[in-house]
Amino acid sequence: MTGAMSDEQRAGGILSAVSSALVTLHKEQFGRGPTRARANFAGADTLVCVLDDALLPAERVMVRLGDQQRVREARAALQAATSDQFVDAIERIVNRTVVAFASAIDADQGVVWELFNFEPAGPRNDGAGPRVAGS
């Protein structure tokens, strides 16, 4: 290969940028970011990011006290209030329109999942992996 970036390399760069952006957004929006993040495409039109060790100190105390449900409810409210920032960041990085966004948390494990569904980019149904901007 002579300088041309493969689809796999381009997707890897996008996934790394997504992980970094979501860690940054968590730090900005919640005051603390996760210690580990990894993003993957789940088919052609879905992106999943897993954020480990994502709980705030007060949330960890609530979990120790058995109040996981309150942590889940508070996180859901915060994510709803900040969803535009998350969607905007992902759309800029992936260069695709997000049509659905959800966030989930396992309070006991301190894991957060950020899920993005994209508007279908075209007729490609060959299972060959993600559609990447410019491919």
Side-chain angles (χ1 to χ4, degrees):
M1 256 177 140
T2 59
M5 189 181 286
S6 72
D7 284 349
E8 189 173 304
Q9 290 170 319
R10 193 171 316 141
I14 288 170
L15 294 174
S16 177
V18 164
S19 294
S20 294
L22 290 177
V23 167
T24 298
L25 279 166
H26 272 257
K27 286 179 182 175
E28 291 171 0
Q29 299 301 321
F30 305 120
R32 179 188 179 278
T35 59
R36 181 170 181 238
R38 59 199 178 282
N40 287 289
F41 286 99
D45 299 323
T46 303
L47 177 65
V48 178
C49 191
V50 181
L51 306 165
D52 293 315
D53 188 27
L55 295 183
L56 304 173
E59 291 172 323
R60 288 195 296 269
V61 170
M62 292 170 71
V63 168
R64 278 197 303 274
L65 295 173
D67 211 354
Q68 291 86 341
Q69 184 58 34
R70 191 169 305 208
V71 171
R72 285 189 290 273
E73 290 167 356
R75 277 289 174 138
L78 291 170
Q79 279 303 93
T82 61
S83 65
D84 287 348
Q85 290 95 328
F86 284 78
V87 168
D88 290 346
I90 298 307
E91 286 181 340
R92 277 193 308 276
I93 294 167
V94 180
N95 197 29
R96 294 192 52 200
T97 301
V98 172
V99 295
F101 166 63
S103 183
I105 185 170
D106 181 323
D108 290 313
Q109 299 304 314
V111 176
V112 170
W113 295 268
E114 306 291 10
L115 311 163
F116 302 87
N117 278 2
F118 300 104
E119 186 173 271
R124 182 170 160 185
N125 288 322
D126 60 6
R131 293 182 191 96
V132 178
S135 65

